[in-house]
Structures are given as C-alpha cells and as structure tokens.
Amino acid sequence: MARPLATDRAFQYGLIIFSLTALLGLANATQLFGSLDRNTLLTHLHSGTLGWITMGVIGLAAWMFGASGSTAARNVMLSALATAAYVLAFWSGNFQARAVFGTIELVVIVYWWWFTVSSGMREGFGRLDIPKLSVIFGLTTLVIGSTIGVIVQIILGTGNAMPTSPDLVGAHAAAQVGGYLILVAAGAIEWQLAGGGKRTVAGLVQVALLFLGGLILSVSQLLAAQLPATAQQALPGIATLLTLAGAVVVVVRVGRSALAVSWTSGGLRHLAVATGYLLFGVVLFALLVQQFIAAQGDPSKVSIGLLHSVDHVYFVGLMTNIIFGAILVASGDRPRLWPWADNVIFWGLNIGVLSFVAVLLTQGSGEGAKPFASAVAYTAPIMGLSALLGIVTFSMRLMESRQTMRAPAPA
Ligand code: HEM
C-alpha cells in the first residue's frame, strides 16, 4: 500500500522528539551533568514513549489504515505539537501544565484510536486482518492506560495527594507496557514481514491473549488493595502467562518470515530482530512482575537494573527497531543517502541495547555513579549514538524521498 504523507510526517516529527530522548539518555549514561532530576527522567521517558514511539505508531496506523489527504497530515502535525507540549510540561515540573497538556494528549490518543476503529468498522470487523486487529486492540489499551495516566495528572494538578489505593500509576504503566506496546508491535512486525490480509484462528488467539494479558495486569494493579490476598498474588501471574503464551504464538507465526530476511542490508532485518526482543521483553517483564509480587508493596525490593532493562528492551530493542525498520522500508524506494549508515545504525543500536541490558542485569543501575564510573557509561552510548545517527540519516532520507516523489518524471 502506498504510504500517505501523514505517515512520513509522523515519522519525521517522531524522529525530532526522539533526539531529546537520546541526548538525555547520553547525559544519564555518562552522568556528565550529575544525576538527572525526576522531571528530566520523566522527560526522557515521555519523549521516548509518546514523542517517538506513539508518533511512530500513529505513522504506522495512518499507513496501515490508509489516512490519505492533507487533513490527515495536518492532524499529525497537531498531534506532534500536543505531544511536544506535554513532554515539555514534564520537564517544567509544573503540575498544572501537565494536567492541561495531558488532557489534550488524551484527546490526540482518542482521536487516533477512533480513526482506526472507524476505518475498521467501514471495512467490517469480521474481515479485519490480524495486524489491523492488533493495532486496534493495542490502541484501545493505550486509551485505557492514558486515561488513568491523565487522572493522575489531574489529581496532582489540582493540588490533591495521590491515593494509595487504587494504584493508578501501577495500572497506567502495566497497561502501556504490558498491553499497548506488545499488541501494536506484534501487528507491525507481522504486517511488515509477512504482509497483511491474513486472519487465522492462531492470529485471533494471539490478539486475545495479548489483549487480555495487558488488561488483567492493569486491573489487578488498579484494584490490588480491594482484591483478596490470593487474587492479588494470582492475577498478575495469570496475566503474564497469557502475555507469554501470546508472544510465543507471535514467534511461531512470524518466525519463518523473520529468519528469511537479509541480515546484511535493508529495513526488514530491524523487524526480524524485533521479534526476538518481543519474546525477550515479555520474559524479563514476567520476572519483573514476579519481583513486584514478592516485594508485597515495598518498591525497594525490586531490582532497578531489571526495571530499566525491561524499559529499554521494549522501547529501544522492540519499538525503535520496528519504527526504524518501517522508515527504511518506507524510504527504500529511492537512492539512499549515506548508505554506509544503515549497517552502523543496525549493529550499533542492537549491540548497544544488548550490552547495556547485560550490564543492567549483572551490575545494576548506573544512576548516581560518578561520571564514566559505571559500565553503563560505555554501553548505553553505543545505543544512543547509533540512535542519533539514525535520527539524522532517516530524517534526511524521508525529506528527500518525498521531494523525489513529487518531482516530475524526466522526459
Ligand atoms: C524510546 C526510548 C526510550 C525510553 C522510553 C526510555 C525510558 C527510560 C526510563 C523509563 C528510564 C528509567 C528512568 C528512571 O525512572 O530512573 C530510563 C533510564 C535510562 N535511559 Fe532510557 N529510554 C529510552 C531511550 C534511551 C536511549 C536512546 C538511551 C541512550 C543512551 C537511554 C539511556 C538511559 C540510561 C543510561 C538510563 C539509566 C539506566 C540506569 O543506569 O539504571 N535511554 N530510560
């Protein structure tokens, strides 16, 4: 399917915001400016998850569901502006600004959710293929998780104290990571690697397992204090088992296409490697959930190294590979600028994320260490600098590819 202008725009805005994520990541890795404060860490997190990943997902959804025309491109621009404002509100530390811009961001998310649902209704839900169903259910979980997140901002913005129960922050994080990302990732990988159009029983089971896994985990966090002790312990375990089973189905369904890609060039290798991160991420996430259950409400008992490993396996290993791969596929029809950069970006990003995660899992977090004292300072920058090279290279290629598409064919 020809990619619409809205997709290129979403990828371009996402890349711009991702440069802030990578720069703050580099500062955090090297500790050159000392420990980053809470507001800056939240800016690193939300510029990455909303500014980069969700703008990328909007680009993929616009492409998959065919958001043609200049109105779609304008809506992408408004979405990027709203997202950038919310990211800056995190940096400012101003709770009122976070509540206002968080509410606007929620409108953006609901808008794109409705765009996919209404496109799906036009096509007929009974006929939608697995990639489209995955994106629709993934965005549904995003709406649920984001609504909870914005409720948190409104509570804080109106000067109220956060309730200890229900656990809004836990439910928000569980929905976003445990449900939204994994569903959208599974849909995008299948669509790019194997093509759309298929609707099999195994695919439907996969969507159901991943959706229910995320939902049950989020609800079990939200209502933890209201649930009997046995349910408090059992529900997160059941949720992670469902997600794990869903991830295994993904690997079985797309594994053959993933192994068949070229590992020496092209965008598809980013999507193939993302399949491995999907399984790796879910296994680490299951371990993290077990730690949370065992900690019985005491966060100091949870390994920060494991927590940050899960973050980067999902956000960089899984999602950044998917969006970089999609951008390479999208811009691959034209002569490539800096062809040498492709290999540096692919190997650098992946060697970087794997070595960073290995350090986090074996030596723990490097936050608060002296500059260049932790091994994090030598591994995370491989990932950050490769991401920055990707940002510059792909931004230029997307610009050039559009211009060439618009230019009249030579006589
Ligand atoms: C989509 C992209 C990304 C997201 C969403 C993300 C998210 C996060 C989160 C949630 C944390 C934990 C913050 C806290 O509460 O303490 C973190 C820490 C960190 N991030 Fe990222 N990150 C992303 C990309 C990157 C990149 C590209 C780098 C490159 C250098 C990076 C480097 C780091 C480092 C070094 C830490 C501290 C790890 C430790 O020593 O424990 N991140 N990130």
Side-chain angles (χ1 to χ4, degrees):
M1 182 191 292
R3 73 182 195 279
L5 175 63
T7 293
D8 281 16
R9 291 282 181 267
F11 288 160
Q12 284 168 316
Y13 296 128
L15 285 165
I16 294 172
I17 304 180
F18 190 34
S19 54
L20 177 62
T21 317
L23 289 172
L24 291 177
L26 285 171
N28 204 13
T30 53
Q31 298 280 310
L32 267 178
F33 307 96
S35 290
L36 303 186
D37 63 25
R38 197 74 221 133
N39 295 334
T40 312
L41 286 172
L42 286 173
T43 308
H44 174 66
L45 163 61
H46 288 94
S47 61
T49 49
L50 286 170
W52 166 234
I53 294 174
T54 298
M55 283 312 296
V57 169
I58 289 174
L60 284 167
W63 191 358
M64 201 183 265
F65 289 87
S68 53
S70 55
T71 312
R74 188 209 52 204
N75 290 344
V76 163
M77 185 190 69
L78 293 176
S79 305
L81 284 174
T83 307
Y86 190 34
V87 169
L88 292 177
F90 272 106
W91 216 351
S92 74
N94 182 306
F95 288 140
Q96 284 78 22
R98 287 183 190 174
V100 170
F101 290 112
T103 309
I104 297 173
E105 183 66 17
L106 183 59
V107 174
V108 167
I109 288 169
V110 171
Y111 169 81
W112 287 105
W113 168 78
W114 177 244
F115 160 74
T116 59
V117 171
S118 55
S119 309
M121 285 191 319
R122 272 196 302 279
E123 212 174 305
F125 268 106
R127 282 195 299 275
L128 284 183
D129 63 15
I130 302 303
K132 283 185 177 158
L133 280 175
S134 306
V135 169
I136 290 180
F137 278 99
L139 289 178
T140 304
T141 315
L142 176 67
V143 169
I144 298 170
S146 306
T147 306
I148 301 173
V150 170
I151 291 174
V152 170
Q153 303 300 1
I154 293 174
I155 292 176
L156 295 172
T158 48
N160 290 297
M162 282 290 290
T164 46
S165 160
D167 176 4
L168 294 167
V169 176
H172 164 71
Q176 312 297 58
V177 180
Y180 157 56
L181 285 186
I182 188 119
L183 268 160
V184 166
I189 291 174
E190 177 175 346
W191 184 55
Q192 293 275 335
L193 281 183
K198 281 194 258 344
R199 184 181 166 107
T200 58
V201 174
L204 291 174
V205 169
Q206 167 195 310
V207 176
L209 287 170
L210 296 179
F211 181 65
L212 285 177
L215 198 64
I216 294 175
L217 187 68
S218 180
V219 172
S220 70
Q221 294 300 303
L222 191 67
L223 302 179
Q226 280 75 32
L227 292 170
T230 43
Q232 253 180 52
Q233 303 274 317
L235 281 180
I238 293 170
T240 41
L241 277 180
L242 293 178
T243 309
L244 200 55
V248 171
V249 180
V250 175
V251 174
V252 171
R253 290 185 60 249
V254 300
R256 198 189 290 254
S257 315
L259 289 175
V261 305
S262 158
W263 291 93
T264 50
S265 64
L268 291 184
R269 57 184 170 167
H270 281 278
L271 289 134
V273 84
T275 316
Y277 284 110
L278 190 137
L279 195 57
F280 184 34
V282 170
V283 170
L284 288 182
F285 192 63
L287 292 175
L288 185 67
V289 171
Q290 287 312 309
Q291 282 205 359
F292 269 106
I293 297 174
Q296 296 198 322
D298 178 359
S300 68
K301 291 201 178 126
V302 175
S303 154
I304 302 296
L306 176 61
L307 181 64
H308 292 178
S309 298
V310 171
D311 290 340
H312 294 88
V313 167
Y314 270 88
F315 302 145
V316 184
L318 180 63
M319 292 311 298
T320 301
N321 267 307
I322 288 177
I323 308 171
F324 274 6
I327 293 177
L328 276 164
V329 171
S331 58
D333 49 353
R334 309 282 143 175
R336 279 170 306 148
L337 187 106
W338 296 357
W340 56 268
D342 287 16
N343 273 329
V344 181
I345 297 164
F346 177 75
W347 294 109
L349 190 79
N350 288 298
I351 291 172
V353 71
L354 289 174
S355 55
F356 174 39
V357 166
V359 167
L360 287 173
L361 290 176
T362 53
Q363 300 179 19
S365 166
E367 280 178 5
K370 291 215 162 54
F372 293 102
S374 153
V376 164
Y378 300 94
T379 48
I382 306 174
M383 171 179 87
L385 292 173
S386 311
L388 282 176
L389 180 63
I391 290 166
V392 176
T393 311
F394 299 151
S395 298
M396 290 196 297
R397 283 197 199 159
L398 281 170
M399 218 156 32
E400 201 174 58
S401 146
R402 262 296 148 193
Q403 276 162 3
T404 341
M405 276 166 86
R406 269 207 308 266

